[in-house]
């Protein structure tokens, strides 16, 4: 009988706290709904003490998403645990996830505590969490670099205080598979009372080993896997959920394990996350990259046409990836459009469908063939949840080959209209500077990419931007026939997010003497996150 592996998704916690991946409340709820459809067992919704926004997101997700367990992260102290419980209490199946570093490196340089002090803190924190919530997960942060004998003592303390799950993180992505597997075997055999406790993996990809180490942990006895969609996360990221799930599905012959992930929801989950964060997936990314199922070499194409099994171990349909065939044209109606969106994983409401249809017909007037990518661009661009503080009313751009470009803009805010123009070396930069002049929030570009949407020379340009405002990074994405206009709109989107975010996080949560406004600040206070 194969064993079930529980999927603990931390896209909204470890993923979301990494640079460039922050999401606002409606975006987090939308992602949580998709993770529910995908079939994750445990959904880590956030780190409630980190910011007011994180607290509200966990609370809202706990109230709405009822099937998966909802977890919230807390450091091993009273304030954090109480705040996590406050956010979780409406959940159908809540879990408090508390953590404390156990490696000598962290004890000496970060926590300035002795091993004995840490053991006491673990017992107290897990016991306190247990007095609030039946289900308590404990993570000895940096377990991968913790002295093995001491790690066993820490785990013992957590189990005796009532932990139901022990998660052994390779926080810094340092472990080799053999080390990681042996750590699970040691904890399983040397800690007393493990028959009532589940073991969990948490791996990072600093050496490209996250998924391989996850499998090693499973071989060592873990039955819970912590992972994220598209492998987003601190630094090089976490183990990618889609890769772990598909390995366990495709290689059932070699590993007697299974998950309850609905693989046909994988691609929609990946796309949604890309849309919400603006963080592109590399083309050759396993399972969800645009080229993951593209066969270019003639000999491969020939084989696949004869029988896909020659070169394909997974069909695109298994992961819900739409085929790149022409789907709709000028004469397609609302019904066909709604059906196609359904196939792509979007349940549009009536007003949303009307809006999508209007944009679709506009596009069909200019472009003969409408591909899935075009349809996705329509919903992705136009269905953003960012409140439009500044709306673009007029845009004009003049560029010349003598190194001077001018952009003139009209933005509307609260019914008032603002005009300004700026000159710069490039037309995009001129547009950004004109926006800065109106909003009064100067930004710097940290990433800028242009793609064409769909094949053909009549394709539209998709611009993705990541811009920093006041030390924080926000994403924007837009499509247009004009690259410069798409860039200006993307930048404005990022600026709107920044303006919204600074309004939203105005009320800071006080953590001891330290005032924490953003999870980014938490990362700085606790380097490495966990
Ligand atoms: Zn982590």
């Amino acid at each position: 009988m194969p064993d079930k592996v529980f999927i603990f998704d931390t896209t909204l916690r470890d993923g979301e706290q990494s640079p460039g991946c922050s999401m606002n409340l409606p975006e987090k709820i939308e992602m949580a709904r998709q993770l529910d459809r995908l079939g994750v067992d445990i959904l880590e919704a956030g780190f409630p003490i980190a910011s007011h926004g994180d607290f509200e997101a966990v609370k809202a997700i706990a109230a709405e998403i009822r099937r998966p367990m909802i977890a919230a992260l807390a450091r091993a102290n009273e304030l954090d645990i109480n705040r996590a419980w406050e956010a979780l209490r409406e959940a159908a199946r809540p879990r408090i996830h508390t953590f404390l570093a156990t490696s000598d490196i962290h004890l000496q340089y970060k926590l300035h505590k002795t091993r004995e002090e840490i053991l006491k803190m673990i017992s107290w924190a897990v016991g306190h969490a247990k007095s609030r919530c039946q289900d308590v997960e404990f993570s000895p942060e940096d377990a991968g670099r913790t002295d093995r004998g001491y790690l066993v003592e820490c785990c013992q303390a957590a189990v005796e205080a009532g932990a139901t799950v022990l998660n052994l993180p390779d926080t810094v992505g340092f472990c080799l598979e053999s080390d990681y597997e042996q750590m699970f075997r040691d904890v399983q055999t040397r800690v007393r009372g493990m028959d009532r406790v589940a073991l969990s993996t948490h791996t990072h990809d600093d050496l490209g080993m996250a998924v391989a180490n996850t499998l090693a942990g499973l071989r060592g006895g873990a039955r819970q896997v912590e992972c994220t969609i598209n492998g987003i996360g601190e630094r090089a990221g976490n183990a990618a959920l889609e890769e772990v799930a598909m390995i366990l599905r495709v290689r059932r012959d070699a590993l007697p394990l299974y998950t309850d992930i609905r693989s046909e929801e994988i691609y929609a989950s990946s796309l949604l996350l890309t849309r919400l964060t603006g963080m592109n997936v590399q083309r050759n990314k396993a399972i969800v990259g645009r080229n993951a199922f593209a066969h270019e070499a003639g000999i491969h194409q020939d084989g696949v046409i004869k029988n896909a099994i020659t070169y394909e171990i997974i069909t695109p349909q298994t992961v819900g990836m739409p085929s790149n065939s022409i789907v709709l044209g000028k004469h397609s109606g609302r019904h066909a459009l709604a059906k196609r969106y359904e196939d792509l994983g979007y349940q549009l409401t009536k007003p949303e469908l009307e809006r999508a249809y209007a944009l679709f017909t506009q596009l069909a007037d200019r472009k003969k063939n409408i591909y899935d990518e075009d349809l996705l661009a329509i919903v992705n661009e136009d269905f953003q949840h960012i409140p439009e503080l500044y709306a673009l009313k007029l845009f004009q751009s003049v560029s010349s080959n003598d190194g001077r470009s001018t952009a003139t803009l009209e933005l509307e805010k609260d019914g008032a209209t603002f005009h300004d123009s700026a000159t710069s070396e490039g037309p995009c930069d001129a547009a950004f500077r004109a926006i800065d002049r109106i909003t009064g929030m100067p930004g710097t570009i940290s990433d800028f990419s242009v793609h064409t949407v769909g094949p053909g020379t009549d394709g539209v340009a998709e611009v993705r931007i990541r811009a920093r405002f006041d030390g924080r990074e926000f994403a924007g994405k837009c499509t247009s026939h004009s690259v410069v206009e798409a860039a200006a709109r993307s930048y404005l989107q990022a600026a709107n997010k920044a303006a919204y975010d600074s309004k939203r996080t105005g009320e800071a949560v006080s953590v001891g003497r330290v005032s924490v406004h953003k999870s980014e600040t938490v990362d700085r206070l606790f380097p490495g996150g966990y």
Side-chain angles (χ1 to χ4, degrees):
M1 201 37 198
D3 263 2
K4 169 164 166 164
V5 172
F6 287 79
I7 298 292
F8 178 113
D9 179 275
T10 184
T11 305
L12 294 175
R13 205 279 300 164
D14 215 351
E16 202 261 352
Q17 76 185 37
S18 63
C21 289
S22 49
M23 289 175 245
N24 62 29
L25 180 65
E27 289 171 338
K28 284 185 185 174
I29 293 173
E30 190 175 358
M31 194 66 218
R33 287 183 190 136
Q34 178 58 34
L35 293 169
D36 187 13
R37 280 194 286 275
L38 178 66
V40 305
D41 298 286
I42 304 107
L43 195 166
E44 188 164 50
F47 190 5
I49 198 81
S51 70
H52 185 65
D54 246 35
F55 176 83
E56 289 300 330
V58 175
K59 202 167 172 217
I61 291 168
E64 184 186 319
I65 308 291
R66 309 303 285 176
R67 184 196 55 79
M69 292 174 219
I70 307 296
L73 188 70
R75 283 167 296 171
N77 67 55
E78 189 172 6
L79 259 176
D80 273 42
I81 293 170
N82 292 352
R83 190 78 173 146
W85 177 240
E86 217 184 305
L88 279 175
R89 59 194 323 159
E90 300 298 318
R93 295 194 294 157
R95 174 184 291 180
I96 295 177
H97 178 194
T98 186
F99 72 99
L100 186 60
T102 52
S103 67
D104 287 335
I105 300 169
H106 280 234
L107 264 58
Q108 190 181 342
Y109 297 106
K110 189 179 86 173
L111 299 171
H112 310 294
K113 298 242 186 265
T114 64
R115 287 187 174 187
E116 288 67 35
E117 285 171 308
I118 295 292
L119 276 175
K120 280 196 189 123
M121 284 172 76
I122 294 172
S123 297
W124 186 87
V126 173
H128 182 64
K130 190 77 174 180
S131 72
R132 300 283 191 276
C133 182
Q134 256 313 302
D135 195 357
V136 177
E137 174 169 333
F138 173 69
S139 295
E141 184 188 359
D142 205 18
R145 292 189 300 175
T146 299
D147 170 76
R148 196 57 50 83
Y150 182 61
L151 179 68
V152 168
E153 281 183 63
C154 292
C155 291
Q156 189 67 60
V159 169
E160 280 167 16
T164 41
V165 180
L166 281 180
N167 175 51
L168 306 181
D170 178 19
T171 304
V172 292
F174 176 75
C175 290
L176 294 180
E177 289 166 280
S178 50
D179 309 337
Y180 201 60
E181 179 177 343
Q182 191 56 44
M183 177 164 66
F184 283 83
R185 292 192 190 285
D186 288 343
V187 168
Q188 183 78 59
T189 52
R190 291 167 62 185
V191 175
R192 294 179 305 279
M194 286 304 292
D195 48 321
R196 291 168 280 124
V197 180
L199 278 173
S200 169
T201 65
H202 182 107
T203 55
H204 279 272
D205 214 26
D206 298 71
L207 295 173
M209 296 287 286
V211 170
N213 280 340
T214 295
L215 294 184
L218 292 174
R219 279 195 297 274
R223 288 297 176 264
Q224 175 181 290
V225 164
E226 300 199 355
C227 47
T228 61
I229 301 292
N230 297 344
I232 65 165
E234 289 285 357
R235 307 179 309 277
N238 290 55
L241 183 153
E242 61 278 5
E243 294 176 21
V244 176
M246 288 316 291
I247 291 168
L248 295 183
R249 188 180 160 127
V250 173
R251 295 311 310 270
R252 266 181 293 217
D253 59 318
L255 298 155
L257 300 168
Y258 71 96
T259 72
D260 282 339
I261 290 297
R262 297 178 58 219
S263 68
E264 63 281 10
E265 290 291 337
I266 283 177
Y267 192 59
S269 308
S270 168
L271 278 182
L272 178 64
L273 184 67
T274 301
R275 155 160 74 100
L276 297 178
T277 61
M279 183 101 140
N280 278 321
V281 168
Q282 79 205 45
R283 276 180 174 248
N284 63 333
K285 163 85 176 63
I287 315 295
V288 292
R290 209 159 151 181
N291 287 359
F293 299 98
H295 303 277
E296 190 68 38
I299 193 164
H300 287 204
Q301 284 180 351
D302 181 55
V304 169
I305 289 163
K306 285 175 179 149
N307 189 338
I309 204 170
T310 49
Y311 287 100
E312 264 182 16
I313 57 166
I314 313 165
T315 63
Q317 292 75 26
T318 316
V319 297
M321 191 177 272
S323 63
N324 191 26
S325 55
I326 298 162
V327 285
L328 298 168
K330 204 172 172 172
H331 303 290
S332 309
R334 284 178 182 74
H335 185 72
L337 188 68
K339 175 79 185 62
R340 192 61 204 159
Y341 272 121
E342 240 178 80
D343 294 344
L344 293 168
Y346 290 81
Q347 307 279 349
L348 299 189
T349 61
K350 230 177 158 179
E352 282 173 342
L353 179 63
E354 282 308 314
R355 213 160 131 201
Y357 186 71
L359 291 165
F360 165 75
T361 49
Q362 274 176 30
L363 188 62
D365 277 340
R366 286 179 292 172
K367 194 170 185 289
K368 197 168 139 221
N369 301 321
I370 308 286
Y371 297 88
D372 286 341
E373 286 93 332
D374 295 309
L375 298 183
L376 291 170
I378 287 175
V379 283
N380 290 349
E381 177 196 328
D382 225 66
F383 287 54
Q384 302 276 347
H385 289 296
I386 316 131
E388 242 192 352
L389 211 58
Y390 293 94
L392 181 67
K393 291 291 153 197
L394 186 102
F395 175 68
Q396 224 172 36
S397 166
V398 182
S399 61
S400 77
N401 63 351
D402 69 350
R404 262 178 308 171
S405 299
T406 309
T408 306
L409 280 137
E410 188 179 303
L411 300 185
E412 195 182 277
K413 185 194 175 200
D414 302 330
T417 311
F418 301 86
H419 298 262
D420 219 321
S421 39
T423 304
S424 182
E425 283 183 8
C428 293
D429 193 53
F432 304 156
R433 299 294 77 94
I435 291 171
D436 288 351
R437 289 169 67 97
I438 296 176
T439 62
M441 291 189 311
T444 50
I445 301 292
S446 44
D447 199 20
F448 184 108
S449 66
V450 185
H451 300 269
T452 53
V453 174
T457 49
D458 59 351
V460 290
E462 176 188 284
V463 172
R464 286 172 191 262
I465 273 177
R466 293 234 292 273
R468 291 186 83 80
F469 296 90
D470 195 20
R472 285 168 297 149
E473 196 168 286
F474 297 90
K477 193 192 95 169
C478 195
T479 49
S480 168
H481 274 86
S482 148
V483 173
V484 184
E485 187 194 334
R489 286 184 183 277
S490 305
Y491 184 77
L492 186 62
Q493 224 176 60
N496 270 326
K497 279 188 184 180
Y500 175 70
D501 197 72
S502 63
K503 259 172 78 177
R504 184 176 58 97
T505 53
E507 326 97 88
V509 182
S510 181
V511 184
R513 280 175 298 126
V514 186
S515 207
V516 177
H517 289 261
K518 280 284 299 168
S519 41
E520 215 171 301
T521 320
V522 175
D523 296 344
R524 195 160 46 72
L525 292 172
F526 310 102
Y530 119 70

